[in-house]
Amino acid sequence: MAETGIHVLPKTGAEAAKQGTLASFKDFVVVEVLNDDPMAKYIALLGRFEGRDEVAVLLLNRKPFNKDSLSSLVGEGLELQHDFVNDIYSKYVGKPPPEHATVTVDLIYPATEKHVRKYRQQRRRMVKETPEMYEGIILPYILSYPPAALQWVYNVLEKKKEVDRLIFEDPDPQLGFMLHPDLKWDQQQVDQLYCLAIIHRRDVPCLRSLDLTHLELLENIRDKGCKAIQDKYGVPANSLRIFVHYPPSYWHFHVHFVHAAFAAPGTAAGKAILLDDIIDNIKIFGKDYWRQRTLTYQLGEADDMWKLLGGAV
Ligand code: M7G
């Protein structure tokens, strides 16, 4: 190879991870299994890149079978190792061809203590958050939330990131929003569709902030979000579960659009509230319905909010 005089040092895993250009986990050391769900075929790991103090959270998910390429899955490529046979019943361990053996890999690096707590297995508790608890404890907590935690949201809204993933945008500063595939969806199978609408306004942290003045915004997200998903993926509105989390992980209002056939994590009672119910309750019960009611929801014991509310519930 010609000598150019410029020596490009190979990137360390840590540097490549920060740039999102990691090719393997060669110098990654697993420190702890944070969580492990054999049913969901999911594992959450805490680790470090060699020589670095910052920690990383690594989430691995086995991907569902791709029904569009069954012939390459159940064909010559599936290597079989015999386990047992009994009458008409037989069992094997199969080693699928590489394209069917993939996992999705989500890396958070450097991860904060809050990320580690979020993904560490912990006991779930139910909380009844009264309006007084919201005003006195949660609202100050939201207002003191570090802006850096929302950097990824602002990167999306300012078109610094995920530009090529944009599905739809309504640029109106008051009523507008951006619609992208959620981080949880690899866009391979439409029956696992998971999209996220993020509003342009930066003064609506969560469900509790919504009142009559936001009705038009909420209806706009629902109607234009559904149309954009129908146009791009052919999934009709009556196949979509559209909801908001309370409490969310990120205090900038956003709406989840998920295929109704997909039992996605985070759709449970005590976490997800349907957008239609949010809209209807404002219309029927009045402008500050979501501020006035007690909200019952689940929290992990390691969550900051559980620690803040723990004594009061
Ligand atoms: P949430 O209700 O605040 O929290 O939703 P949850 O994580 O408990 O559901 C935030 C949503 O944003 C989740 O569905 C995340 O998967 C999604 N999300 C998080 N990040 C960091 C990103 C990202 O960088 N890009 C996209 N497109 N989605 C993200």
Side-chain angles (χ1 to χ4, degrees):
M1 208 206 285
E3 178 62 70
T4 60
I6 301 169
H7 296 281
V8 181
L9 290 172
K11 251 189 245 145
T12 64
E15 286 160 0
K18 283 185 182 166
Q19 292 163 9
T21 56
L22 207 60
S24 81
F25 280 94
K26 189 167 58 87
D27 53 357
F28 188 78
V29 182
V30 176
V31 176
E32 182 187 334
V33 176
L34 294 173
N35 203 350
D36 174 23
D37 183 343
M39 288 301 283
K41 300 186 175 51
Y42 156 83
I43 193 165
L45 302 171
L46 178 71
R48 274 202 176 83
F49 288 94
E50 266 167 24
R52 299 289 180 131
D53 290 335
E54 301 145 319
V55 291
V57 170
L58 178 61
L59 313 172
L60 301 180
N61 266 285
R62 280 207 196 278
K63 289 181 56 165
F65 293 113
N66 183 352
K67 295 188 285 287
D68 298 333
S69 59
L70 286 178
S71 56
S72 77
L73 171 64
V74 190
E76 224 182 326
L78 184 63
E79 256 179 60
L80 295 180
Q81 203 185 320
H82 173 80
D83 186 1
F84 76 87
V85 60
N86 182 348
D87 190 42
I88 58 172
Y89 306 100
S90 51
K91 196 171 178 77
Y92 301 83
V93 175
K95 214 161 132 200
E99 67 273 22
H100 284 282
T102 47
V103 289
T104 57
V105 179
D106 289 289
L107 177 68
I108 306 174
Y109 180 69
T112 63
E113 193 38 48
K114 199 170 162 57
H115 289 117
V116 177
R117 282 200 298 273
K118 175 173 174 178
Y119 291 103
R120 185 175 273 139
Q121 188 169 27
Q122 57 200 279
R123 188 196 292 234
R124 303 274 150 199
R125 301 285 208 150
M126 297 307 287
V127 173
K128 290 182 197 299
E129 181 193 285
T130 63
E132 294 73 32
M133 286 157 72
Y134 175 71
E135 293 292 336
I137 303 172
I138 301 303
L139 191 54
Y141 166 73
I142 298 173
L143 296 176
S144 69
Y145 206 69
L150 289 176
Q151 192 55 53
W152 73 270
V153 173
Y154 300 143
N155 286 346
V156 166
L157 293 176
E158 289 161 19
K159 297 196 174 155
K160 292 181 181 156
K161 294 283 176 186
E162 302 191 42
V163 180
D164 51 340
R165 290 160 53 90
L166 180 67
I167 299 167
F168 173 79
E169 178 178 10
D170 176 342
D172 187 285
Q174 289 303 309
L175 303 178
F177 66 98
M178 291 171 89
L179 184 74
H180 288 81
D182 190 279
L183 190 67
K184 294 188 187 101
W185 186 37
D186 61 9
Q187 298 183 75
Q188 297 296 308
Q189 282 174 264
V190 150
D191 56 5
Q192 281 150 23
L193 179 142
Y194 201 134
C195 298
L196 193 70
I198 304 178
I199 64 168
H200 279 300
R201 285 177 65 159
R202 298 192 182 191
D203 60 345
V204 184
C206 68
L207 171 73
R208 284 280 200 194
S209 331
L210 299 173
D211 61 32
L212 212 50
T213 63
H214 302 100
L215 264 187
E216 211 181 331
L217 167 70
L218 298 172
E219 289 176 336
N220 192 46
I221 296 172
R222 180 190 57 195
D223 299 344
K224 290 190 183 153
C226 285
K227 181 169 183 320
I229 289 174
Q230 164 84 67
D231 291 349
K232 170 131 192 184
Y233 301 107
V235 176
N238 63 8
S239 289
L240 291 174
R241 196 188 304 263
I242 309 167
F243 59 87
V244 166
H245 279 157
Y246 192 83
S249 297
Y250 303 98
W251 298 94
H252 175 112
F253 188 73
H254 53 272
V255 177
H256 304 247
F257 287 73
V258 182
H259 200 293
F262 180 38
T267 50
K271 179 78 180 165
I273 302 165
L274 291 173
L275 181 61
D276 277 335
D277 290 348
I278 296 174
I279 292 172
D280 251 33
N281 280 320
I282 296 175
K283 282 185 179 166
I284 296 169
F285 296 111
K287 66 181 181 61
D288 53 2
Y289 172 85
W290 291 104
R291 270 235 167 171
Q292 288 306 319
R293 59 164 285 183
T294 292
L295 288 170
T296 303
Y297 55 81
Q298 65 166 37
L299 276 183
E301 277 187 348
D303 196 300
D304 287 340
M305 283 177 61
W306 170 255
K307 290 181 185 145
L308 287 172
L309 295 171
V313 290

